[in-house]
Amino acid sequence: MRPVHTALAVLVAAVWGVNFVVIEIGLGHFPPLLLSALRFLVAALPAVFFVGRPKVAWKWILGVGAALGIAKFGLLFTGMAAGMPAGLSSLVLQVQAVFTAALAAVVLRERPGPVRAAGMAVALVGIAVAAVDGGSSGPVLGFTLVVAAAACWGVSNVLTRKAAPPDALNFMVWVCTVPVLPLFALSLLLEGPGRDLAALRALDWSGAAVIGYVAWVSTVFGFGAWGHLLRRYPASSVAPFSLLVPVFGMSSAALVLGESVSGTRWLAAVLLVGGVALTSFGRARPRVSPGSPPATAAASPAP
């Protein structure tokens, strides 16, 4: 990769890592489901009027919008609101690679090779170690919700691979339109109109900056830049930079939020990142049946 593109890939990883700290700050202003709804509303508007018509079937946009936008981010934000630390969330969420590989084995008929299978095992050990650390630094419910969010991310990754969008930014902007109304409805139902209205009335520059960051910087810029890199270089050259996300996430959480990083968490980080690296880049063996197209590899972007 050219140096300028290497720097861009690192910048995107940093943007996505810091995003967890921004979410943590945003949860001090908004209920979690309302914050998630606002994030997708601002990301979709006005961008949807400039990216052109959808370039894949609506069933894929609706499927990814539900799995990624409603389920994954709804669970992630709720888990963090329940007390899951930002840095630990950025780390645990990377287990999505294991869920993606497991689902791909069933849906895309990709048998994990020995390297990928070993990576899945190592990453699961890392999750167990992270669970031990999470039990001492956050509630079990928050940890469980973030793991569930990672599973939903795995579902959205498999759906995205089936959709094979030719334009990542176009696809992501249209996906952002799907969760807006369902998340607003869930917020009204579960968090209450009084709480939502109070949060909106108390909106200040800090809250607006949070929404701007998670919508425009993390979502529109992040996915747009990532898609640009994937169009210029093989996924195997771009995807490794996503492993920097928990590094930036844990570091920024320690610097900005004062989160302590214990030896147990560092061990979990080494196991998880190492396992995810093996899982993501180990060779899969597709099961080819008559009339079925071969599965193709894709890089899973970060949040």
Side-chain angles (χ1 to χ4, degrees):
M1 292 177 63
R2 293 175 55 191
V4 64
H5 292 138
T6 298
L8 179 61
V10 174
L11 175 61
V12 172
V15 163
W16 282 336
V18 173
N19 190 52
F20 288 90
V21 172
V22 177
I23 292 170
E24 184 73 31
I25 296 171
L27 290 172
H29 293 267
F30 308 97
L33 295 176
L34 177 62
L35 176 59
S36 189
L38 291 171
R39 175 241 183 102
F40 286 109
L41 175 64
V42 175
L45 297 176
V48 72
F49 297 110
F50 298 97
V51 296
R53 295 168 59 89
K55 298 180 180 179
V56 299
W58 270 103
K59 65 178 181 180
W60 301 121
I61 293 173
L62 293 173
V64 175
L68 183 71
I70 302 172
K72 182 242 176 171
F73 280 105
L75 289 168
L76 172 63
F77 282 32
T78 303
M80 292 179 65
M84 184 69 168
L88 188 58
S89 296
S90 72
L91 175 63
V92 170
L93 202 62
Q94 301 309 311
V95 79
Q96 58 84 18
V98 175
F99 288 112
T100 302
L103 289 168
V106 176
V107 178
L108 303 179
R109 299 184 177 184
E110 296 179 356
R111 285 186 304 168
V115 174
R116 180 169 289 186
M120 293 169 68
V122 172
L124 289 175
V125 173
I127 280 292
V129 175
V132 172
D133 183 73
S136 62
S137 61
V140 175
L141 176 60
F143 184 91
T144 304
L145 290 174
V146 173
V147 173
C152 294
W153 191 5
V155 172
S156 74
N157 283 338
V158 172
L159 291 175
T160 301
R161 291 182 61 173
K162 292 284 284 184
D167 185 335
L169 179 60
N170 172 281
F171 181 68
M172 182 51 56
V173 169
W174 281 104
V175 162
C176 286
T177 66
V178 175
V180 176
L181 292 180
L183 284 171
F184 273 124
L186 286 171
S187 180
L188 288 172
L189 179 64
L190 301 176
E191 296 166 344
R195 189 179 174 194
D196 287 353
L197 187 58
L200 293 173
R201 283 176 173 171
L203 180 65
D204 56 12
W205 69 268
S206 178
V210 165
I211 296 172
Y213 186 95
V214 298
W216 292 327
V217 180
S218 176
T219 303
V220 177
F221 166 75
F223 279 100
W226 195 258
H228 172 73
L229 292 171
L230 286 173
R231 285 193 297 271
R232 294 183 63 97
Y233 300 99
S236 58
S237 298
V238 179
F241 289 95
S242 68
L243 298 178
L244 294 174
V245 172
V247 176
F248 285 111
M250 293 172 64
S251 300
S252 59
L255 290 172
V256 178
L257 303 177
E259 290 185 8
S260 61
V261 184
S262 64
T264 304
R265 189 172 302 184
W266 280 119
L267 175 60
V270 170
L271 291 170
L272 255 173
V273 172
V276 166
L278 292 173
T279 302
S280 300
F281 310 115
R283 189 178 299 276
R285 291 181 268 180
R287 299 178 193 155
V288 180
S289 57
S292 64
T296 57
S300 301

